[in-house]
Amino acid sequence: MAVSWVGQSVPRVDGPAKVRGIAAYVDDIVVPGALFGATVRSDVARGRLRAIVRDPAFDWTGITVVTHEDIPGENIVALIEDDQPVLAAHEIRHCYEPVVLLACADPVRLQRAVKAIRLDVEPLPALLSIEASLAREQIIHKDDNVQKRYLLEHELGGRSIDDLIAACDVVLEGTYRVHHQEQLYIEPQGMIAWVDEGGVHVLGSLQCPFYVHKALKRAFAETGERVHVTQAVTGGGFGGKEEYPSVIATHAALLARKSGLPVRMIYSRKEDIEATTKRHPARVELKTGCTRDGTLVALKARAVMDGGAYVTLTPVVLSRGILHASGAYAWKHARIEGIAVATNTPPNGAFRGFGAPQTIWAIEKHMDRLAKRLRRDPLEWKRERALRIGSTTVTGQTLTESVGVDECISKAMAASDYTNKRAAYASAPRAAAARTRRGIGAAVFMHGAGFTGSGERRLKGRVKVDLEAGGRLRVRSGSTDIGQGTETIFRQIAADAASLPLDSIVFENPCTTNVPDSGPTVASRTVMVVGSIVGKAAAEVAARVREAMGHAGGATFAEAADALLAKGPVGALVQYEPPVSREWDDEAYRGDAYPCFAWGCDIAEVEVDLDTLETRVLGFWAAQDIGRAIHPVMCAGQVEGGTLQAIGWALYESVVWKDGKILNARMTNYVIPTSKDAPPFETILVEHPFSGGPNGAKGVGELPMDGGAPAIAAAIEQALGGVELADLPLFPEALLAAVLGKAAREATP
Amino acid sequence: MIRLRVNGRACGVETPPLARLLDALRGPLGLTGTKEGCGEGECGACTVLLDGVPVNSCLVAVGQCEGRDIVTVEGLATGDALAPLQTCFIEHGGAQCGICTPGMLVAADALLRANPSPTETDVRDAIAGNLCRCTGYQRIVDAVLRSAEALRAAGPGAPPGRGTP
Amino acid sequence: MTTMHLPGEDREAVAMEAHAPAGLERAKLVSPRSVEEACELLAEAHARGQAAVALAGGTDWIVDRHLADVSRARPVDLVVDLTAIDALRTIYAYEDGDKKERRLVVGAGVTYWTLRNDPEVLGTIPLLSRMAKDVGAVQIQTRGTLGGNLASASPAADGVPVLFALEAVLSIASASGTRKVPVESFFVGYRKTVLAPGELILAIDVRVPRAGAFASWQKVGTRLAQAISKVALAGVVETDGAMVSRAHFGMASVGPTTAPLTAVCSAVVGKELARIDRSATDAAVAADIKPIDDVRSTGDYRLHVAKALVWRALHAPP
């Protein structure tokens, strides 16, 4: 009767509640007597905060007011660097910076109260771009505006990278830019907070309960047992609810503390788009040398990212960015530099891909240009140059297993009929009457699964499995289900590891009081890292019961379990131990950067309207090696959802700025694809198992974000012929400029 | 007091007539299945049926609903039995984070009642006003098409129609 | 599922209240069943110095009020709900003896959903149905009305360009009677119409294009649904043999009001269709519109696309 749950697309556990409309998201939860909370924010990008002025004509009865002076602990949002205040005290560093918090029982009166507060800010010149920050037009962070630097060097052997490049047959340079992207989860950020004898309680939309826990401890000067953070059903996160919830939770809790009442703080869509984190924009300069036969010799890269006003997670985003800057390819020599600079814009933060989509855009576009100069089909040539088992990466990591890129390429090519279409579209006659043209293009990419280097060892993520009456197992983990199916998948893994029916496994809703810290729900680590210890812990508990069954002769699992429980609690607490490998040197950025990599090949087929330069994506084939698909339907769902976000970043989405303010902070004008814009997807799951992942699984969440944009760009370039697209987004306005620019160059004698 | 029918039951709500239908449903009527994603009629998370046709309830004043028929996501299942559409969503990965799901189901339900044999294009058009950020729409479209097949196979005994728009 | 206890759990469950947006807390809403009643209500309110608003589908107004800056939210005393007035939803065709042409009358309260699906509209002026399919998405189509879009006077409205192309005449009612206004005279500036307080749009009377006419609708938006247009063009071009005998256009999102493209009409009417030069129509478009940069697009892009759409409206029925 050994049914294996892993590999089956079982009905998702939270499915019925979600389709019935009874899943409880934070805004669905009624707390009697709760006040509404709101935030007064700066409308100036940089300045000295001289005073907070309350309109004396306004009736302030029943309105709770909180400023930085009401913070019992430290006025710091605990994360990496202690530079971001919970509430601005003396200076403003970005538009929408929070300064004052208000609470009131009447939501309309609350809106009026927000308007009745004036922030007296003496404006200062603001830095609003990477260029302005690098040029140090103003100093807004430390003494040089630099939030973080990295340098990694591979096999230079004392020579300069410029010399190594200059010695090559084919030398190519390019600068590639990418823009902000807003996560736009359909459920806005929200928290409910209350303070009582038990301490500080928050409940809300979040990915990482223990990040919020850490932040609240700091701001409230409380010990861990007196802070309780619970996840409500969360309507999408994509990284946008990784670190930001610490801010909104602290704000709601401060109001709760001051008012003595529970407070609900749910952002409007406008406030959410304006004030919360976004993807880091980046400018990547590449210079490469290769041989005439296409061997990749030397890579020089410089990635500059815009971190916004405070550091938040920028060092980690930059790290992942530079570790993916060389793409899925083997290079003999490399020098990769990363710099993150501060600007007076809202701090940027985690968004699916986390630095990799930015640098992968650059390397893929660069490789496409190189392919043209080498007169090779880009995909065929990339296939030759891709890493394989036995290859060494630019951090000196030798890949010993689980490299499925070649299979991804061949399957994507076959499914899409790439070779024939590529040839057909290349030779399609350019009849003047034809007002549309088609193209097909590809991207090849990899994504390191889990935290970089020693990250997992430092995290010490843990999971507990408890035995319960009737032989049920309760899985306690800090990992959250934010739509990607954690709850279902952990039950599958646990059931298989324990050889029990799926129904025997229960998933404890994450509350910091009731679950151990398994590390954050980020970095595509939930299945690979936390899932593996869920399996171990479940197996351990089941083994103890089976041992007792052995002694009791004839007892069922349930009976043996109850007998054991009569003597005391039974459970297993397991800590993650990363696979033994070469060490990771955090200073030199050398060693095994990730336990393993997931791989992908994306192929996009587009039709471009030659008059309007609108791009329609006709088809998309995503072949992705994720090790093992624990739940194939959910896994494919991750691929398709992530890919559409990448397509959105390329073709539809942009944040429009003016003087540090966002002009399109509404869903009407921050445009994401609808069902009519989305292509039909064909997802091909490729499995090259990783020995260190549960049942061979690697990470899948972020990989799909890496390939969509460059694949679309390659297809558009074929359709238009003769343009090279270096920057995102690929809006019609930009394509028109590219086409007219090309026409102008061709017209000039 | 504004009197309306919600999911087949007569209800009365005491609310200012210019409150939004969405707020009347989520607040006094306690039906929190219908969600607010944007407040501007873009995302469709607040979709309900008003006299049989899909509307964004964030754009409707509750006072305009006197005597009208509203169907929300809570009205799709029959007691414990999920509607075929709901079951197909679970089976085919149509719901991930679930926040768009109620609105999506209501829009799809309206489509299937009006058009029992939709093409993929018909489905994409019917849900174009329901934004999803998680799924990429493919599995939602598949779920709706599968459920249309299931309903056709079930024959005339399938859930009664509410009349064409 | 969760072992957390919410504060106040022991107290009796109290449902959350529904609040009206700022300025509408005390607004009364009345749903008259006749146009006369609606006009009377508006006139009385005006006479009493009360702020009154006529509300149809609410796709613009309800959003604007919900999102309005509270310090600029003007109080409204009376909302006259038009959605219960059957007379605003009639659709019928007739022969105009004087002009010797067939015409279609569409009630101002007819929704885009009806325009999209109604057999009479589909059979008589499919151009209206094609445009309706591009308005927002289903949920917007079921509420949005031609009357509402005319009154809101956004230059980005999809329906209005089609009314220009169909030579629409609006009937407007008030407590003192009715009057007719050609659609090209209805708009007087950015979001400004000739509607006086107490006036309601009753119906839109449009010309049915002759058999063989090029009736076109083209919308270039930020995406394929739920999109505000960057440029949209409706055109009706009729030929008499080789000559263009009649041409009417309406273009959205290229100026403060919907653009009638009169220079383009002059450039093509009376000319042989096959010999109209692209450079002539391009120049005419550039004379007719001066589009601007905004959050969605640029003036340069809009002008470029406008020229292409006009050319297409003359040469291929899209």
Side-chain angles (χ1 to χ4, degrees):
Chain A
M1 283 281 313
V3 179
S4 178
W5 299 109
V6 166
Q8 278 196 57
S9 295
V10 303
R12 66 181 294 153
V13 175
D14 51 355
K18 286 176 174 172
V19 299
R20 282 182 184 279
I22 58 178
Y25 302 83
V26 63
D27 195 42
D28 300 330
I29 297 168
V30 179
V31 175
L35 305 178
F36 295 92
T39 310
V40 180
R41 302 177 180 278
S42 167
D43 64 357
V44 150
R46 180 173 177 236
R48 281 185 205 100
L49 178 61
R50 289 191 290 222
I52 296 165
V53 184
R54 281 201 227 184
D55 182 358
F58 186 81
D59 177 11
W60 292 96
T61 350
I63 313 258
T64 306
V65 183
V66 161
T67 68
H68 69 97
E69 291 170 340
D70 295 299
I71 298 172
E74 294 174 83
N75 184 13
I76 287 170
V77 181
L79 193 58
I80 294 179
E81 192 150 329
D82 288 345
D83 65 329
Q84 186 179 21
V86 173
L87 291 170
H90 306 294
E91 57 164 335
I92 299 293
R93 293 208 199 168
H94 64 89
C95 262
Y96 318 121
E97 180 150 18
V99 184
V100 183
L101 305 170
L102 302 174
C104 178
D106 176 337
V108 177
R109 211 164 146 246
L110 180 60
Q111 283 178 29
R112 295 192 196 283
V114 169
K115 290 287 158 182
I117 295 213
R118 186 174 59 85
L119 301 177
D120 180 5
V121 179
E122 179 200 318
L124 290 168
L127 290 183
L128 299 175
S129 70
I130 284 176
E131 283 69 28
S133 188
L134 283 172
R136 301 186 195 167
E137 291 175 15
Q138 302 285 319
I139 300 294
I140 61 170
H141 180 83
K142 297 216 170 121
D143 55 6
D144 59 1
N145 296 333
V146 175
Q147 292 173 333
K148 189 71 185 178
R149 276 183 214 284
Y150 289 104
L151 177 61
L152 88 75
E153 290 175 319
H154 178 61
E155 302 295 335
L156 295 189
R159 294 155 294 179
S160 89
I161 190 75
D162 290 306
D163 288 346
L164 288 163
I165 291 172
C168 294
D169 303 324
V170 182
V171 173
L172 184 65
E173 283 185 79
T175 300
Y176 308 89
R177 303 180 122 84
V178 296
H179 59 315
H180 288 92
Q181 187 183 17
E182 156 59 35
Q183 297 85 347
L184 216 80
Y185 26 75
I186 305 294
E187 183 218 10
Q189 304 239 11
M191 286 287 166
I192 297 176
W194 65 99
V195 176
D196 62 18
E197 332 71 56
V200 178
H201 305 257
V202 303
L203 160 66
S205 192
L206 53 86
Q207 291 174 226
C208 308
F210 284 93
Y211 278 11
V212 179
H213 189 258
K214 174 175 157 197
L216 286 170
K217 281 196 300 185
R218 198 88 181 270
F220 280 78
E222 281 285 16
T223 56
E225 320 78 66
R226 287 184 49 79
V227 173
H228 313 271
V229 179
T230 305
Q231 187 209 9
V233 178
T234 297
F238 321 113
K241 293 175 182 169
E242 173 178 343
E243 76 272 35
Y244 193 81
S246 297
V247 173
I248 184 177
T250 306
H251 288 177
L254 286 169
L255 285 168
R257 177 177 177 270
K258 187 133 186 210
S259 66
L261 290 170
V263 171
R264 64 189 301 121
M265 190 172 245
I266 314 287
Y267 281 2
S268 69
R269 180 56 60 182
K270 179 168 183 279
E271 181 171 24
D272 198 307
I273 294 176
E274 286 172 343
T276 70
T277 61
K278 291 169 199 54
R279 186 181 298 289
H280 290 65
R283 189 185 80 193
V284 183
E285 297 152 27
L286 297 178
K287 187 169 175 191
T288 57
C290 65
T291 64
R292 210 161 276 121
D293 76 352
T295 305
L296 299 174
V297 176
L299 166 71
K300 178 181 181 187
R302 182 172 183 251
V304 187
M305 291 194 183
D306 177 350
Y310 296 109
V311 171
T312 69
L313 293 172
T314 296
V316 199
V317 175
L318 184 65
S319 160
R320 188 171 277 274
I322 62 154
L323 288 170
H324 288 74
S326 48
Y329 312 107
W331 295 87
K332 291 208 168 98
H333 316 281
R335 180 184 195 272
I336 301 171
E337 198 190 339
I339 303 170
V341 292
T343 60
N344 294 111
T345 62
N348 295 312
F351 190 166
R352 197 173 201 166
F354 206 79
Q358 290 95 318
T359 56
I360 291 174
W361 162 259
I363 189 67
E364 281 301 286
K365 293 320 296 142
H366 194 82
M367 292 288 282
D368 286 342
R369 291 173 65 215
L370 265 175
K372 217 168 21 156
R373 280 147 186 79
L374 296 169
R375 297 187 201 291
R376 298 291 309 277
D377 173 82
L379 185 52
E380 296 282 2
W381 176 60
K382 286 174 183 179
R383 183 182 202 166
E384 272 172 26
R385 300 299 131 203
L387 293 160
R388 56 197 78 238
I389 306 254
S391 297
T392 304
T393 70
V394 296
T395 65
Q397 176 172 7
T398 303
L399 303 175
T400 55
E401 58 165 318
S402 192
V403 179
V405 59
D406 196 77
E407 188 180 343
C408 288
I409 294 171
S410 64
K411 288 202 160 140
M413 286 176 80
S416 61
D417 199 21
Y418 173 87
T419 307
N420 289 332
K421 283 181 182 166
R422 186 87 183 162
Y425 294 147
S427 61
R430 286 175 186 270
R435 298 325 298 156
T436 61
R437 281 193 64 86
R438 293 188 174 187
I440 190 164
V444 175
F445 49 101
M446 72 184 189
H447 201 90
F451 269 119
T452 307
S454 44
E456 293 295 345
R457 186 163 289 115
R458 276 185 273 119
L459 259 185
K460 303 196 203 348
R462 300 180 312 165
V463 155
K464 182 112 190 291
V465 172
D466 288 329
L467 182 65
E468 295 195 334
R472 297 193 340 151
L473 301 188
R474 180 172 294 267
V475 175
R476 295 178 187 276
S477 156
S479 295
T480 55
D481 192 323
I482 51 172
Q484 83 289 45
T486 307
E487 184 178 349
T488 303
I489 287 174
F490 278 8
R491 285 163 108 236
Q492 288 172 271
I493 291 174
D496 262 22
S499 297
L500 286 174
L502 200 54
D503 292 343
S504 298
I505 318 290
V506 179
F507 177 85
E508 173 78 9
N509 188 59
C511 167
T512 53
T513 315
N514 303 336
V515 302
D517 186 355
S518 315
T521 306
V522 305
S524 311
R525 61 186 290 278
T526 300
V527 165
M528 187 182 82
V529 173
V530 188
S532 68
I533 52 178
V534 166
K536 284 201 175 80
E540 220 178 282
V541 173
R544 304 239 296 268
V545 178
R546 293 213 166 84
E547 196 190 336
M549 280 164 80
H551 297 322
T556 61
F557 190 95
E559 288 162 350
D562 287 339
L564 270 180
L565 285 170
K567 296 194 222 139
V570 179
L573 178 67
V574 177
Q575 179 169 304
Y576 182 70
E577 286 303 330
V580 174
S581 61
R582 278 182 53 198
E583 286 302 304
W584 170 253
D585 182 339
D586 251 332
E587 292 301 313
Y589 255 57
R590 297 287 298 164
D592 284 11
Y594 299 96
C596 68
F597 294 87
W599 306 84
C601 175
D602 280 354
I603 295 182
E605 185 177 358
V606 304
E607 182 173 86
V608 182
D609 182 315
L610 297 176
D611 289 321
T612 67
L613 281 306
E614 292 165 286
T615 300
R616 285 207 56 208
V617 185
L618 302 174
F620 202 103
W621 296 262
Q624 316 218 326
D625 165 26
I626 40 68
R628 179 81 195 276
I630 307 284
H631 188 299
V633 165
M634 282 206 225
C635 191
Q638 286 301 293
V639 173
E640 290 153 16
T643 303
L644 190 61
Q645 288 178 356
I647 294 174
W649 188 41
L651 293 179
Y652 300 97
E653 302 175 44
S654 82
V655 179
V656 181
W657 298 90
K658 187 174 161 97
D659 303 329
K661 287 202 171 86
I662 299 176
L663 297 183
N664 62 331
R666 278 181 43 175
M667 278 214 196
T668 308
N669 288 322
Y670 185 87
V671 178
I672 66 170
T674 67
S675 54
K676 283 168 88 158
D677 305 291
F681 283 108
E682 189 176 327
T683 303
I684 300 154
L685 296 178
V686 170
E687 295 179 322
H688 284 237
F690 167 54
S691 61
N695 308 96
K698 302 190 273 197
V700 64
E702 293 170 280
L703 175 78
M705 196 79 216
D706 296 332
I712 298 268
I716 293 175
E717 283 166 345
Q718 185 181 44
L720 292 179
V723 294
E724 286 183 343
L725 302 169
D727 301 340
L728 287 181
L730 306 171
F731 285 4
E733 289 78 1
L735 297 180
L736 177 63
V739 165
L740 293 178
K742 168 187 165 232
R745 283 193 301 277
E746 285 169 359
T748 333
Chain B
M1 170 75 74
I2 293 158
R3 280 169 235 282
L4 53 164
R5 294 183 70 75
V6 182
N7 297 328
R9 286 178 49 239
C11 298
V13 273
E14 291 283 3
T15 134
L18 270 303
R20 302 173 305 173
L21 174 61
L22 173 64
D23 297 317
L25 290 169
R26 289 179 56 77
L29 290 171
L31 294 166
T32 55
T34 308
K35 309 297 180 193
E36 177 159 11
C38 72
E40 53 185 290
E42 283 296 318
C43 73
C46 68
T47 304
V48 300
L49 300 186
L50 173 56
D51 287 346
V53 295
V55 300
N56 288 322
S57 59
C58 73
L59 299 177
V60 177
V62 65
Q64 293 180 293
C65 299
E66 179 74 45
R68 312 260 188 178
D69 242 294
I70 313 286
V71 176
T72 70
V73 63
E74 290 94 340
L76 297 181
T78 315
D80 282 341
L82 293 176
L85 193 51
Q86 292 169 304
T87 310
C88 283
F89 258 61
I90 299 175
E91 267 168 37
H92 294 281
Q96 286 188 27
C97 82
I99 195 75
C100 78
T101 303
M104 197 70 79
L105 286 169
V106 169
D109 178 79
L111 168 73
L112 295 182
R113 286 173 193 283
N115 180 357
S117 302
T119 61
E120 174 159 350
T121 306
D122 293 332
V123 175
R124 286 183 183 268
D125 182 80
I127 60 170
N130 294 82
L131 297 181
C132 175
R133 197 53 158 161
C134 291
T135 67
Y137 301 105
Q138 185 67 60
R139 284 163 201 276
I140 292 175
V141 172
D142 291 346
V144 177
L145 289 172
R146 287 272 178 285
S147 118
E149 268 172 40
L151 284 165
R152 287 195 301 270
R162 287 180 221 281
T164 47
Chain C
M1 231 193 301
T2 175
T3 51
M4 163 204 68
H5 294 289
L6 291 169
E9 253 179 356
D10 49 335
R11 289 159 59 176
E12 206 185 287
V14 175
M16 304 247 313
E17 280 177 51
H19 294 91
L24 302 182
E25 302 93 326
R26 277 175 290 283
K28 277 186 60 190
L29 186 145
V30 183
S31 304
R33 302 216 150 244
S34 73
V35 174
E36 294 70 30
E37 202 189 325
C39 290
E40 252 176 64
L41 286 163
L42 289 170
E44 277 168 22
H46 187 62
R48 285 199 293 270
Q50 288 183 325
V53 160
L55 176 65
T59 60
D60 287 332
W61 191 75
I62 301 258
V63 172
D64 290 346
R65 290 305 310 221
H66 178 72
L67 298 179
D69 186 316
V70 71
S71 53
R72 288 197 287 272
R74 279 184 288 170
V76 170
D77 302 296
L78 175 69
V79 174
V80 178
D81 169 29
L82 305 176
T83 61
I85 304 177
D86 290 340
L88 288 176
R89 286 193 289 273
T90 56
I91 299 174
Y92 65 91
Y94 73 97
E95 291 291 333
D96 183 330
D98 298 332
K99 295 185 194 170
K100 295 202 178 356
E101 59 192 21
R102 199 157 167 68
R103 297 191 70 95
L104 184 74
V105 177
V106 176
V110 169
T111 63
Y112 290 104
W113 188 241
T114 301
L115 285 178
R116 193 177 154 171
N117 297 306
D118 181 270
E120 180 137 35
V121 176
L122 282 163
T124 319
I125 312 184
L127 173 62
L128 280 165
S129 309
R130 275 211 298 283
M131 168 277 298
K133 199 163 179 216
D134 272 354
V135 171
V138 174
Q139 295 92 327
I140 301 295
Q141 293 163 17
T142 55
R143 296 297 283 176
T145 62
L146 281 173
N149 281 147
L150 283 162
S152 292
S154 163
D158 293 326
V160 178
V162 172
L163 301 183
F164 272 60
L166 295 173
E167 306 174 46
V169 176
L170 314 181
S171 355
I172 294 170
S174 70
S176 26
T178 59
R179 62 185 178 118
K180 292 200 192 291
V181 177
V183 71
E184 63 268 18
S185 315
F186 183 72
F187 302 101
V188 294
Y190 179 66
R191 292 193 175 262
K192 286 193 172 65
T193 71
V194 300
L195 277 180
E199 285 195 311
L200 283 179
I201 305 170
L202 262 188
I204 300 105
D205 181 323
V206 293
R207 180 179 173 280
V208 177
R210 294 266 158 82
F214 280 168
S216 64
W217 164 251
Q218 302 171 84
K219 177 174 177 178
V220 176
T222 50
R223 55 188 171 191
L224 292 177
Q226 289 289 51
I228 300 181
S229 67
K230 296 180 182 182
V231 188
L233 175 65
V236 174
V237 177
E238 292 178 0
T239 50
D240 188 357
M243 309 277 286
V244 177
S245 54
R246 199 180 190 110
H248 283 84
F249 300 98
M251 185 172 268
S253 300
V254 291
T257 58
T258 307
L261 302 187
T262 44
V264 172
C265 292
S266 303
V268 305
V269 171
K271 308 279 194 310
E272 239 187 272
L273 180 57
R275 292 167 62 145
I276 294 174
D277 203 60
R278 173 72 191 249
S279 57
T281 55
D282 281 358
V285 172
D288 272 327
I289 64 173
K290 303 274 179 283
I292 58 169
D293 296 347
D294 68 9
V295 74
R296 283 176 290 279
S297 187
T298 64
D300 285 348
Y301 176 79
R302 288 179 155 118
L303 184 58
H304 178 94
V305 170
K307 291 171 180 172
L309 297 188
V310 164
W311 189 249
R312 285 183 180 174
L314 293 168
H315 290 95

